[in-house]
């Protein structure tokens, strides 16, 4: 894709983001003497590839202006002058964050922001505009002033949010970053002398929460521009399997006709079907997933370090279920592959063939993160399509095992924190987690346990052979960590 064809995402904001700490996780770009960007800017990392080239149809530019606020006299011209470079770039999506001038009143600030919004919409009628909440400004150094700054930002935020939502149209949205952290977290983040402990750990955690709040605020619309969805489908539809046929109106992630029955190692699939047939109602535990799940109990096709890691942890935590477990995980499977396996008898021919205590599901990383499998889907899924695929797997599992406790583990963190693949997976996890109560499954988030406060993956949880590459497959420590969480739900079943 030519750079001119990529979806342009521009950010215009004050320096507040970059002042939160010495190393902001948001938009700032750091360039070394060789002209290389660093990974410090969260959005830059999320929308660029590892070589800092525009990736997957996105082209991101940061037009931050130090000290950008609304004009003290409440006039439009000076604010629009600061926005001019971004508007001339003609972005498809514009993220706009302008703090109120310290002498402003909420009503004056809101009126000026509405004028700014109107002017942008007139100049860029096709642009999708996201207004971001004003943040506590000035980064004062004493607690009481910080409190007043937070209170002021909150009052301006309420007024602006109400105004934008009232005026909202299909191309105008509001991102309430102020609601991402609670008052104590803001005080800790902003105050150099806060009564709360100011540590690198909690600062990184708060920055990460803010960064995800910002990304999640617009990411779905951005992906829709790159990967337009097919026609919406009804949830839980049973699809007749016609190999290699395309199911009209269905995203590939939800279509068993786009799945494959892989068999690694050879003969595994028939063995699992035979095992399931023998177990029947005696089956107490079922695993559904890809290679990470496969290696709980099965031989790896890569090397024995993968096999030993899962088997040792399984024996330690699930030893009582070794003879009543059905492991349907298969290396390289996508959501479509799992759906095809279910249609082909993985959970029996009829509903309630099995009545397990618990079913563990972990699937989805291959839909987006495995370039060798993307050709099956004509390219990687977007986050919403991946989330739809995971939900479709959940619905199919519930259809065959309606009484089982279903635990869905979010796709595990991979690679570096500021990476497009990682961001897509995190957003898909977020969308799936929103469905837990409605669909009656348990959502298990392992990300916080496998990453540092700023989202970096922890080396001790990944196979050493992959640390400099995908950071995808697990070592024994991470299998034990995961098992320690899963077994709690099994014991409660």
């Amino acid at each position: 894709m030519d750079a001119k064809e990529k979806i342009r995402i521009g950010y215009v904001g004050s320096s507040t983001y970059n002042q939160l700490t010495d190393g902001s996780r948001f938009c700032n770009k750091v360039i070394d003497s060789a002209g290389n960007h660093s990974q410090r800017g969260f959005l830059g990392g999320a929308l660029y590839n590892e070589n800092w080239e525009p990736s997957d149809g996105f082209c991101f530019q940061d037009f931050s202006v130090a000290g950008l606020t609304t004009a003290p006299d409440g006039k439009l011209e000076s604010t629009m002058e600061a926005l001019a470079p971004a508007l001339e770039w003609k972005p498809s999506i514009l993220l706009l964050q302008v703090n109120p001038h310290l002498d402003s009143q909420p009503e004056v600030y809101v009126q000026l922001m509405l004028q700014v919004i109107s002017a942008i919409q007139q100049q860029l009628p096709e642009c999708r505009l996201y207004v971001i909440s004003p943040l506590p400004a000035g980064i004062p150094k004493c607690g009481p002033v910080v409190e007043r700054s937070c209170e002021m930002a909150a009052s301006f935020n309420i007024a602006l949010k109400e105004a934008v939502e009232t005026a909202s149209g299909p191309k105008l949205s509001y991102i309430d970053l102020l609601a991402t952290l609670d008052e104590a977290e803001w005080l800790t983040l902003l105050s150099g002398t806060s009564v709360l402990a100011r540590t690198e750990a909690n600062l990184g955690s708060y920055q990460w929460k803010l960064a995800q709040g910002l990304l999640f605020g617009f990411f779905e619309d951005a992906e829709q521009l790159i990967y337009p969805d097919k026609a919406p489908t009804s949830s839980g539809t049973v699809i007749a399997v016609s190999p290699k046929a395309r199911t009209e109106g269905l995203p590939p992630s939800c279509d068993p006709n786009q799945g494959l029955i892989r068999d690694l190692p050879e003969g595994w699939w028939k063995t699992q079907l035979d095992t399931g047939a023998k177990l029947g109602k005696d089956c107490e535990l079922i695993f559904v997933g890809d290679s990470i799940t496969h290696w709980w109990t099965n031989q790896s096709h890569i090397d024995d370090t993968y096999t030993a890691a899962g088997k040792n942890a399984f024996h330690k935590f699930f030893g009582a279920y070794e003879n009543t477990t059905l492991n349907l995980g298969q290396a390289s499977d996508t959501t479509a592959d799992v759906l095809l396996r279910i249609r082909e008898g993985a959970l029996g021919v009829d509903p309630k063939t099995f009545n397990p205590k618990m079913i563990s599901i972990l699937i989805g990383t291959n839909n987006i993160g495995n370039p060798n499998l993307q050709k099956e889907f004509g390219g990687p899924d977007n986050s919403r399509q991946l989330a739809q695929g995971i939900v479709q797997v959940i619905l199919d599992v519930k259809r065959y095992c309606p009484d089982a406790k279903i635990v869905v583990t979010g796709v595990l963190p991979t690679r570096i924190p500021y990476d497009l693949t990682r961001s897509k997976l995190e957003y898909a996890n977020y969308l799936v987690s929103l469905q837990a109560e409605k669909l009656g499954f348990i959502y298990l988030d392992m990300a916080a346990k496998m990453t540092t406060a700023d989202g970096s993956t922890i080396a001790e949880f990944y196979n050493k052979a992959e640390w400099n590459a995908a950071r995808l497959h697990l070592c024994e420590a991470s299998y034990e960590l995961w098992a320690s969480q899963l077994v709690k739900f099994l014991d409660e079943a």
Side-chain angles (χ1 to χ4, degrees):
M1 181 183 291
D2 186 272
K4 294 180 180 178
E5 299 175 359
K6 294 180 184 291
I7 300 302
R8 296 184 171 201
I9 300 175
Y11 165 77
V12 181
S14 69
S15 56
T16 301
Y17 285 146
N18 297 337
Q19 290 177 345
L20 286 176
T21 71
D22 293 336
S24 169
R25 307 295 179 184
F26 292 104
C27 301
N28 59 321
K29 295 182 292 186
V30 179
I31 302 177
D32 63 21
S33 57
N36 299 313
H37 294 276
S38 80
Q39 291 283 12
R40 288 174 68 187
F42 179 88
L43 282 183
L47 300 175
Y48 280 61
N49 64 24
E50 289 183 343
N51 298 318
W52 277 90
E53 298 167 345
S55 171
D56 275 51
F58 296 120
C59 187
F60 173 74
Q61 287 292 330
D62 177 9
F63 295 95
S64 300
V65 179
L68 175 63
T69 65
T70 55
D73 56 7
K75 293 185 178 179
L76 182 65
E77 290 76 10
S78 59
T79 304
M80 292 307 298
E81 183 179 343
L83 299 178
L87 301 184
E88 291 171 4
W89 192 58
K90 295 183 170 33
S92 303
I93 289 177
L94 181 62
L95 310 173
L96 176 67
Q97 191 268 325
V98 183
N99 285 330
H101 189 273
L102 292 175
D103 295 330
S104 296
Q105 296 299 316
E107 59 274 13
V108 176
Y109 168 67
V110 168
Q111 287 304 312
L112 181 57
M113 287 300 296
L114 290 177
Q115 292 179 58
V116 171
I117 291 167
S118 178
I120 292 173
Q121 290 177 322
Q122 289 179 25
Q123 290 190 41
L124 301 174
E126 298 303 314
C127 177
R128 301 188 183 201
L129 177 60
Y130 289 82
V131 179
I132 303 168
S133 54
L135 300 179
I139 317 304
K141 297 297 183 182
C142 57
V145 178
V146 173
E147 292 177 14
R148 289 198 296 273
S149 181
C150 289
E151 290 172 1
M152 185 180 98
S155 64
F156 280 80
N157 179 43
I158 292 171
L160 180 61
K161 183 178 181 181
E162 290 178 351
V164 170
E165 290 179 346
T166 299
S168 183
K171 292 186 177 0
L172 176 63
S173 300
Y174 193 79
I175 300 176
D176 188 359
L177 275 191
L178 207 62
T180 307
L181 304 181
D182 62 31
E183 184 178 355
E185 290 171 331
W186 274 112
L187 291 175
T188 303
L189 185 63
L190 297 176
S191 174
T193 58
S194 170
V195 294
L196 299 174
R198 179 173 180 168
T199 66
E200 288 300 320
N202 60 37
L203 288 179
S205 174
Y206 302 156
Q207 287 180 326
W208 186 250
K209 288 172 68 174
L210 287 170
Q212 286 193 318
L214 179 59
L215 183 70
F216 290 0
F218 74 91
F219 201 50
E220 184 169 319
D221 274 353
E223 285 199 315
Q224 288 294 91
L225 293 175
I226 301 296
Y227 311 109
D229 267 351
K230 297 175 180 292
T233 59
S234 58
S235 296
T237 303
V238 178
I239 307 300
V241 176
S242 302
K244 297 185 179 180
R246 173 76 74 174
T247 306
E248 184 177 355
L250 200 64
S253 60
C254 300
D255 189 353
N257 290 325
Q258 303 309 302
L260 297 174
I261 299 293
R262 296 181 183 82
D263 206 8
L264 299 172
E266 186 176 352
W268 170 88
W269 173 234
K270 183 179 185 304
T271 299
Q272 297 311 100
L273 291 179
D274 290 345
T275 300
K278 292 176 183 177
L279 284 175
K281 290 290 194 297
D282 292 329
C283 180
E284 295 184 280
L285 175 60
I286 297 177
F287 287 109
V288 176
D290 48 39
S291 57
I292 297 174
T293 294
H294 182 90
W295 296 333
W296 272 121
T297 59
N298 295 294
Q299 186 72 25
S300 166
H301 64 288
I302 300 178
D303 66 53
D304 287 341
T305 62
Y306 295 90
T307 302
K311 283 187 173 181
N312 290 344
F314 182 88
H315 179 74
K316 180 176 179 179
F317 286 88
F318 301 112
Y321 301 94
E322 284 186 307
N323 296 320
T324 56
T325 292
L326 179 61
N327 187 345
L328 300 173
Q330 171 61 76
S332 297
D333 266 11
T334 64
T335 54
D337 301 328
V338 172
L339 293 171
L340 178 59
R341 290 185 191 280
I342 292 174
R343 303 299 200 281
E344 293 292 320
L347 294 176
V349 178
D350 302 306
K352 297 192 176 183
T353 297
F354 302 111
N355 188 28
K357 291 182 177 180
M358 186 182 81
I359 300 176
S360 166
I361 299 174
L362 170 59
I363 191 67
T365 192
N366 290 316
N367 290 52
I368 288 179
N370 190 330
N372 296 322
L373 301 177
Q374 291 173 4
K375 59 186 178 182
E376 295 178 23
F377 291 170
D381 277 336
N382 67 23
S383 296
R384 183 157 66 159
Q385 287 173 332
L386 172 56
Q388 285 178 319
I390 295 171
V391 167
Q392 189 67 48
V393 168
I394 296 166
L395 292 170
D396 273 34
V397 169
K398 286 180 67 69
R399 183 181 300 115
Y400 281 86
C401 301
D403 301 323
K405 176 177 289 187
I406 297 176
V407 180
V408 179
T409 302
V411 180
L412 302 179
T414 66
R415 304 169 66 85
I416 50 180
Y418 315 124
D419 172 85
L420 183 60
T421 296
R422 172 82 171 272
S423 299
K424 286 181 180 181
L425 294 173
E426 287 172 346
Y427 188 55
N429 282 343
Y430 168 72
L431 295 176
V432 171
S433 71
L434 298 179
Q435 299 296 315
E437 183 175 355
K438 175 183 176 182
L439 298 181
F441 63 88
I442 298 167
Y443 180 78
L444 175 60
D445 180 12
M446 294 295 297
K449 296 177 175 62
M450 298 178 67
T451 59
T452 60
D454 69 353
S456 299
T457 43
I458 299 174
E460 67 185 74
F461 291 133
Y462 294 84
N463 189 290
K464 291 181 180 179
E466 296 184 350
W467 179 244
N468 292 321
R471 304 183 196 178
L472 172 65
H473 294 111
L474 309 181
C475 63
E476 190 168 337
S478 46
Y479 272 111
E480 289 195 359
L481 177 66
W482 187 19
S484 70
Q485 303 302 306
L486 287 176
V487 77
K488 294 177 184 177
F489 302 115
L490 184 56
D491 291 343
E492 295 168 358

